[in-house]
Amino acid sequence: MRFGKTLRGSTYPPWRDEYMDYSKLKSMLRENTGEDDDVPWTEDDENRFCDEIFNVQLDKVSQFQAKTASNLQQRADTAFEKLRGLAPSDDKAKSDATNAQLEELRAELDAIVNEVKELKKYSSLNYTGFLKIAKKHDRRRGDRYKVRPMMRVSLSQHGLNSEQGYSPLLNKLSLMYYAISQTLETDNKQQPLDLEYQEEFHNGERYTAHKFWIHPDNLLEVKTAILRHLPALVYSQQSAKELDGNQDPKITSLYFDNSKFDLYGRKVNRQSDASSVRLRWYGHLNDKPDIMLEQKIIYEDGTSEEKKFGIKDKYTKQYLDGEYKMEKSIQKMERQGQQNGSIDSFKATAEEIQNFIVTNKLQPVMRANYTRTAFQKPADDRVRISIDTDIAFIREDTLDRDRPCRDPAEWHRTDIDNSNMTFPFKNINQSEVSRFPYAVLEVKIKEEEGRKRPRWIDDLIASHLVYATPRFSKFVHGVASLFEDFVNNLPFWLSDLETDIRKDPQQAHEEEEQRKARQAEDAQVVDSLLGTSARRSSYRPAASSPIAKSYLSERAALDARAPRVRPADESSEVVDDADDEYGDAEPSGLKRGYGTLSSVFPGFSLSRYARNKRQKEQLPEGVTKPDVWLKNAGPLQIEPKVWLANERTFLKWQHICVLLGSLALGLYTAAGKNFVAECMGIAYIAIAVMAGLWGNLMLRRRRQMIVERSGKDFDNMIGPLAVSVALMIALILNFVFAYKNALGRFEAITRNETETVFVGELL
């Protein structure tokens, strides 16, 4: 397919001069000239071409994309501020937000969304064009230099065709659409579309699917993190429904498309009712496994539906050619006495898929082979997780009639299936196989009313171990990597393959905290407009989050940037009803003084309105205030060693009390008429009584803490310190008094001896 014609037909007129000059680059390669190949390709030709494609064309496209994306972000922020201004306050009823203003705002959002779509097409077209022209260079003029690898790296560095930068903008636009629709259409119960996951329907149940890439270095850690919560399910090769102890199964998915790759184009361009058709089986085809024919339809609102039925190997070719209508399977169901509804449903599904295949002239074009590790609780499909490793994409087409990859008389490649060939498929032409460098993680969560997603899944999704790719498709990636010459539009995630998807844990944590903070702020404005409680904006930054670390400085900077004058007659009780979580939601006409307790911590406001609001805070409908803490629920179960440890400590204190009491009693009894000894005996008795009372007090208090399941510390240093200090003081005083008594007796003896000598001399 000629890309130049596609580029000219897909150009957005206002940006016509901003696209890459594909014709000029082709002329520099002498692609459209009649010059002979004998004309040498010189070093100067190579330098001119590289300078033009890297320094002129690529810079022009990347600068325009960055400028346009920044302009769209500014317009979205401006529209968001307008929406914030329409939120009702205490002195402004919701009816003041007129329908005309909201309709005008919705028209502005429509214009922004249309330009975002055009910018995405612009980015994708130029991305594909650069890769194609680089491939032409390497094919015709790449004898000495290959520019395609360097082009891939440059495209990745410039962020061309990467959706990572679009997601925050699209999520904000989706949230604003939701708020406007809910306000204008009161009977609309639609929830805001979250672009970070896809919705799927299986057997009437709604699931949300999250897709990620896992670097091989992180694969083991991810598996062990999942195994802590979900058991691993290993399926047999014969059926995906039977559990056994074998190794993880090899799965083969055979995808269909026509020679123009219409199904691929619809999925890449995200057209409404985009479909994919595949045959899927477990293990080797020679083992006669169950083969499932599946059709997956993605609707305009982002939801998907899957239709499938089983088919045998010997009937597959006839069914694909439209010659077999699954009559034998229908007759078997009738003989088994199955209900007419099941038979009619099977017949309708088989007929719809067959008509779709025949009408669109579909044929097998590519197979994906991978090893799947599944995690799920038995008989519980609320959380299903799968990790696909050893992923390989193999051509299965007959587009080249002279050298087809597959025998046109067969529906699959017999050279692979008859020899039971497995990964890494070294025995086939290596130009027909593409190996995916990462593992693919898919988390499917069943959506139930009033049930939250498990916390550990949120932690895994937000961790540095996985790389989010919400729109990744094996079918799209396989076609893009194997049939690049046949398609003119490449998926956005191809550029991410040139980057290292491993992330620093701290950086990943900070980015996730900032993302949650932005979502909470956006949800706060929507809730204030709708007059609902800010349940979605209940995010609280973690202590280690940069959001929490810079709270005071950001609050001060915000107050400095947006000063507001308070009217003299305004009551101090006027407080904004919006969520004060980040300190950036100030009431109309109110200025809080920075440095006050209420300005730094809004929950500490002492105004009459704030006190009344805290007192009148209502719980959501159907939620009652619990009578006991969750930690106190259930029967009391305490190990005996806890009680014995408390009693052992009490006995130690009683031992000290008995020793001190015995010492005090002995000292007091032997004191006789010695007043100092009597006083010290009484002091030791007081210390002994204090030790006994303290031991008894701690026994009762710690017993109460054990019964109440208190999380406080059991240690208490007051009693031991008091007894120790009292004993030290008593001993020091005892030593001082004894020393003075001994010194007095010595002086008396000396004085008596002196007097005796003096009397003797006189006599």
Side-chain angles (χ1 to χ4, degrees), residues 153-186:
V153 175
S154 299
L155 291 173
S156 176
Q157 292 176 347
H158 285 83
L160 208 62
N161 202 37
S162 175
E163 198 166 359
Q164 297 294 330
Y166 294 96
S167 295
L169 174 60
L170 294 178
N171 282 326
K172 176 173 283 190
L173 292 173
S174 174
L175 200 60
M176 286 191 284
Y177 269 120
Y178 165 72
I180 295 175
S181 299
Q182 291 291 94
T183 305
L184 294 178
E185 305 170 13
T186 56

Side-chain angles (χ1 to χ4, degrees), residues 384-553:
R384 298 185 297 169
I385 298 179
S386 64
I387 298 180
D388 297 336
T389 55
D390 296 340
I391 304 175
F393 304 100
I394 305 171
R395 291 185 59 166
E396 199 93 10
D397 62 282
T398 58
L399 298 177
D400 189 349
R401 297 297 179 182
D402 298 329
R403 300 177 59 186
C405 298
R406 167 180 54 84
D407 184 358
E410 298 288 342
W411 62 271
H412 64 98
R413 289 187 63 160
T414 56
D415 58 333
I416 296 177
D417 295 322
N418 292 344
S419 61
N420 294 338
M421 196 179 304
T422 58
F423 187 87
F425 300 97
K426 293 183 178 180
N427 297 331
I428 60 175
N429 188 343
Q430 294 303 294
S431 63
E432 299 174 358
V433 59
S434 173
R435 301 172 185 86
F436 193 68
Y438 305 123
V440 176
L441 168 68
E442 184 171 8
V443 180
K444 290 185 178 181
I445 304 173
K446 187 177 182 180
E447 293 297 324
E448 296 178 344
E449 188 69 24
R451 184 176 181 271
K452 293 184 178 180
R453 180 190 307 166
R455 176 65 181 273
W456 67 271
I457 291 183
D458 288 334
D459 294 339
L460 176 63
I461 290 175
S463 70
H464 66 285
L465 302 174
V466 297
Y467 184 82
T469 53
R471 301 292 177 178
F472 178 75
S473 167
K474 293 187 182 72
F475 167 60
V476 172
H477 184 85
V479 172
S481 58
L482 295 173
F483 300 94
E484 186 177 334
D485 294 337
F486 294 86
V487 297
N488 289 329
N489 199 356
L490 300 177
F492 59 85
W493 60 76
L494 280 185
S495 59
D496 296 335
L497 293 175
E498 306 301 325
T499 62
D500 188 357
I501 65 173
R502 291 171 294 184
K503 295 179 287 186
D504 177 71
Q506 180 63 25
Q507 180 181 357
H509 172 70
E510 294 177 356
E511 292 176 353
E512 179 65 16
E513 289 292 327
Q514 293 172 357
R515 184 187 68 84
K516 290 181 179 178
R518 288 194 298 267
Q519 288 183 345
E521 181 182 1
D522 296 345
Q524 169 190 328
V525 175
V526 173
D527 288 329
S528 63
L529 177 66
L530 300 179
T532 59
S533 59
R535 286 189 293 265
R536 290 190 304 274
S537 60
S538 60
Y539 162 73
R540 294 293 186 274
S544 59
S545 168
I547 305 297
K549 291 179 180 178
S550 59
Y551 176 84
L552 298 180
S553 58

Side-chain angles (χ1 to χ4, degrees), residues 75-91:
R75 291 172 59 185
D77 293 340
T78 302
F80 195 76
E81 290 301 322
K82 291 181 181 178
L83 186 63
R84 186 196 297 269
L86 295 177
S89 60
D90 293 339
D91 56 349

Side-chain angles (χ1 to χ4, degrees), residues 465-729:
L465 302 174
V466 297
Y467 184 82
T469 53
R471 301 292 177 178
F472 178 75
S473 167
K474 293 187 182 72
F475 167 60
V476 172
H477 184 85
V479 172
S481 58
L482 295 173
F483 300 94
E484 186 177 334
D485 294 337
F486 294 86
V487 297
N488 289 329
N489 199 356
L490 300 177
F492 59 85
W493 60 76
L494 280 185
S495 59
D496 296 335
L497 293 175
E498 306 301 325
T499 62
D500 188 357
I501 65 173
R502 291 171 294 184
K503 295 179 287 186
D504 177 71
Q506 180 63 25
Q507 180 181 357
H509 172 70
E510 294 177 356
E511 292 176 353
E512 179 65 16
E513 289 292 327
Q514 293 172 357
R515 184 187 68 84
K516 290 181 179 178
R518 288 194 298 267
Q519 288 183 345
E521 181 182 1
D522 296 345
Q524 169 190 328
V525 175
V526 173
D527 288 329
S528 63
L529 177 66
L530 300 179
T532 59
S533 59
R535 286 189 293 265
R536 290 190 304 274
S537 60
S538 60
Y539 162 73
R540 294 293 186 274
S544 59
S545 168
I547 305 297
K549 291 179 180 178
S550 59
Y551 176 84
L552 298 180
S553 58
E554 290 182 358
R555 178 58 185 267
L558 183 63
D559 289 347
R561 288 197 304 267
R564 298 188 176 108
V565 180
R566 178 178 179 178
D569 58 345
E570 186 178 69
S571 173
S572 61
E573 289 83 9
V574 179
V575 179
D576 189 10
D577 194 34
D579 189 3
D580 292 333
E581 185 172 345
Y582 304 102
D584 57 356
E586 291 289 332
S588 176
L590 175 63
K591 182 181 187 306
R592 292 175 177 170
Y594 175 72
T596 62
L597 190 62
S598 61
S599 66
V600 178
F601 301 104
F604 278 72
S605 176
L606 301 178
S607 66
R608 191 194 320 164
Y609 178 86
R611 291 196 301 269
N612 292 337
K613 182 181 178 182
R614 286 194 292 268
Q615 294 173 359
K616 299 178 180 179
E617 187 173 359
Q618 299 294 331
L619 293 174
E621 184 178 355
V623 178
T624 59
K625 186 177 181 180
D627 298 331
V628 295
W629 292 98
L630 183 60
K631 66 182 182 66
N632 297 335
L636 181 64
Q637 297 178 353
I638 300 175
E639 296 183 5
K641 64 180 181 180
V642 178
W643 297 104
L644 296 177
N646 188 28
E647 293 180 358
R648 188 164 53 247
T649 306
F650 170 72
L651 293 176
K652 288 288 186 182
W653 278 106
Q654 299 308 306
H655 182 70
I656 295 174
C657 176
V658 171
L659 287 178
L660 289 177
S662 301
L663 174 64
L665 185 60
L667 182 62
Y668 184 81
T669 303
K673 296 181 179 181
N674 192 333
F675 179 74
V676 175
E678 291 180 354
C679 292
M680 295 308 303
I682 294 174
Y684 285 125
I685 290 176
I687 296 175
V689 172
M690 182 177 67
L693 293 176
W694 178 263
N696 185 64
L697 176 64
M698 286 295 99
L699 173 68
R700 296 179 178 277
R701 178 172 297 180
R702 287 168 179 162
R703 180 179 297 172
Q704 183 180 2
M705 293 172 64
I706 293 173
V707 173
E708 293 179 352
R709 302 170 180 174
S710 174
K712 299 180 181 179
D713 294 334
F714 281 77
D715 56 340
N716 197 319
M717 300 297 295
I718 298 177
L721 286 177
V723 173
S724 300
V725 171
L727 281 175
M728 186 180 300
I729 294 174

Side-chain angles (χ1 to χ4, degrees), residues 180-227:
I180 295 175
S181 299
Q182 291 291 94
T183 305
L184 294 178
E185 305 170 13
T186 56
D187 58 342
N188 188 2
K189 302 301 182 183
Q190 176 186 359
Q191 293 296 322
L193 178 63
D194 193 337
L195 301 177
E196 296 180 358
Y197 62 80
Q198 289 181 305
E199 291 187 350
E200 299 181 358
F201 288 89
H202 299 283
N203 299 325
E205 301 288 347
R206 186 167 67 95
Y207 292 84
T208 55
H210 306 256
K211 295 182 180 180
F212 305 89
W213 291 349
I214 307 175
H215 194 277
D217 294 349
N218 298 329
L219 182 58
L220 181 60
E221 189 172 355
V222 171
K223 286 186 176 181
T224 54
I226 298 173
L227 283 172

Side-chain angles (χ1 to χ4, degrees), residues 226-245:
I226 298 173
L227 283 172
R228 292 188 181 98
H229 306 276
L230 293 178
L233 296 183
V234 183
Y235 300 109
S236 68
Q237 295 181 350
Q238 289 295 328
S239 172
K241 302 177 183 178
E242 301 175 4
L243 291 172
D244 63 8

